[in-house]
Amino acid sequence: MRAVGHALALAGSMTWEILWALILGFALSAVVQAVVPKSTIVRLLGDDRPRTLVTAAALGAASPRVPTRR
């Protein structure tokens, strides 16, 4: 019974370690999508230079999807 309790405590701890990172990531993504206009993203990602690719990777890390505003 002690092993089951330890396993549940370990699972809960691991769940929390993953959950807070997901919550933080979604919150940062929401802030980026709310603050940065789509026109700015299009201006920054207008070509295929290495600098543009680095910018795209940084924005992609902060926001998994570009907002589609029409």
Side-chain angles (χ1 to χ4, degrees), residues 12 14 29 34 38 48 51 61 67:
M14 291 172 67
S29 174
K38 186 175 182 181
D48 61 352
R51 178 178 178 213

Side-chain angles (χ1 to χ4, degrees), residues 9-22:
L10 186 60
S13 175
M14 291 172 67
T15 300
W16 174 246
E17 285 187 32
I18 294 168
L19 186 62
W20 79 262
L22 284 172

Side-chain angles (χ1 to χ4, degrees), residues 3 8 10 30 38 47 57 59:
L8 289 174
L10 186 60
K38 186 175 182 181
D47 54 30
L59 290 173

